[in-house]
Amino acid sequence: MTVPDLVTRLGVTLAPDPRRVIIKLFVPGEDTAPVRSRTTVLIDRIMLLGHREAEESLEETLRLFGGRHRDLAATFLHHYDLVRYRVPSHADLSPAARLLIGAYFSHEYSVEGAALCNPSMVAHPDQSGLDPGRLRVVISVRQIGEGHLSSIGFATALLGPGDGLAVADRSGPLTVGPRHGTPHRRDLLAAALTDGGSDNEVSATVLGSLPELFDDDDFEQAVTRLPADLLTRTTTYATVEELRRATASEYAVAFPADVPIERRVLWPATVVEGNGMEDARFVRFIDEDGTPSYRATYTAYDGRHIRSRMLTSDDLRTFEVTSLRGPAAANKGMALFPRPVGGRHLALCRSDGETTGLTVLDERGRWQRPVPLHTPCGGWELVQVGNCGSPLETDVGWLVITHGVGPMRRYAIGALLLDLDEPHRVIAALPGPLLAPDDAEREGYVPNVVYSCGGLLHGDALWLPYGASDARIEFAHVNLADLLGAMRPRH
């Protein structure tokens, strides 16, 4: 069935900017020499430079790159510390020499050098100083650089009045949030062991000696208290390592308060996300006691496996990173409801890879096997269906923006409506695509795709940021009443 043209494309584009760079550690690959590594050889070469030449080289490097990065000298010194074990113990290096060694073991990485896509949009934590009808928003983006390595970045924008949208300037040095330790939840560790098949006497003993919230030291002490009888079991070492990996995968990130949101980068910080943090679906969550927070599900990729993980933040400056557990978290694309429904925490998922489902969080911290909501049925979505972000609450139901994949792996965007009190019931659906790639949007890094990780309702409209073939991000405006009126009841 044909759907009336409900979408106004706003003509605002957020394009990938190769000037948005971070600094990464650069270590030359090992050569075939059996004794000396390239790292050692390079340090020796640097130490042979004359004092004047070394200082001039450092000054030139700081001049060329200092304006592109925050506190460049501190980064060089940190990278020097990472390779200083290769420096001869008798060497008496000047501060400039240490910084220069750090510079040689550094390189720039363009976080958006390959693509920019898959945005989500939430209300900004600061709404001060705005005229009536305007809303300040934060847009999360999937930014992709060399080697198809994804990280999470941000932009900010103003919505309104009317269908006006203005994206704020994103220039300036980027900052990667440093990783910090965070308290771990015993129930989530237990859920990880169930998912990994490591629920045995060793894991039960360790868990039994941990408090409900524990830190890394608590965990290591619990391991040292394992009885000798258990230490001799053939599975003990593998179980302890699985426990250690699960614990180490959870961490916190805190950005300096003076770094604006659009310059913050959430960069892979653990092995499980070492090949990318993909498709963050942010939502402003209101708990049962009225406490607001920001939450986002995302896909972690280690080069072979994908895992669903969650970001939690009060202010989008500090983030806690945890894993999502249970049968419903087995695939990509989970999206949290913005509040509990009937006392239950709910999420949309696509655990079988092709069906939109509804899952509930149980008392053990595991997302249960989902109830199917929508299976591929229209010609435009026969390959798979899924969500385009968290459900949006309206007076008549939960509005779910969906995606479907059709012939030639062409992605389009649709919509469902779920019952407010019984969201396992689909009460209406758009009979065809709401938005499909037009001639200008179909060309890009991944052709024939429009895709979003979440929009929001403001005024009388749906505001939807979306990736256009991974080449750039575009924005759409849809009158909410017209959209709901075009949906057809489900029986």
Side-chain angles (χ1 to χ4, degrees), residues 144-198:
I144 306 174
E146 178 187 355
H148 200 77
L149 184 58
S150 298
S151 57
I152 299 171
F154 300 96
T156 59
L158 284 176
L159 309 184
D163 62 1
L165 183 148
V167 178
D169 177 60
R170 302 173 73 217
S171 62
L174 301 183
T175 296
V176 173
R179 172 181 169 169
H180 302 282
T182 187
H184 308 291
R185 285 172 46 184
R186 184 178 62 194
D187 60 340
L188 292 183
L189 180 57
L193 298 175
T194 300
D195 286 354
S198 299

Side-chain angles (χ1 to χ4, degrees), residues 110-162:
S110 177
V111 294
E112 300 175 6
L116 187 69
C117 57
N118 300 2
S120 69
M121 181 186 286
V122 290
H124 196 291
D126 178 14
Q127 295 295 326
S128 62
L130 297 182
D131 295 331
R134 306 200 82 181
L135 180 73
R136 184 176 290 117
V137 296
V138 176
I139 304 160
S140 72
V141 298
R142 176 181 174 183
Q143 45 197 21
I144 306 174
E146 178 187 355
H148 200 77
L149 184 58
S150 298
S151 57
I152 299 171
F154 300 96
T156 59
L158 284 176
L159 309 184

Side-chain angles (χ1 to χ4, degrees), residues 4 6 394-396 399 417 430 434 457-462 477-488:
L6 304 171
T394 76
D395 292 340
V396 296
L399 177 63
L417 192 66
L430 204 62
L434 172 68
L457 300 178
H458 171 58
D460 59 357
L462 164 69
H477 180 273
V478 184
N479 180 275
L480 179 59
D482 291 344
L483 173 57
L484 295 174
M487 302 178 83
R488 297 293 176 260

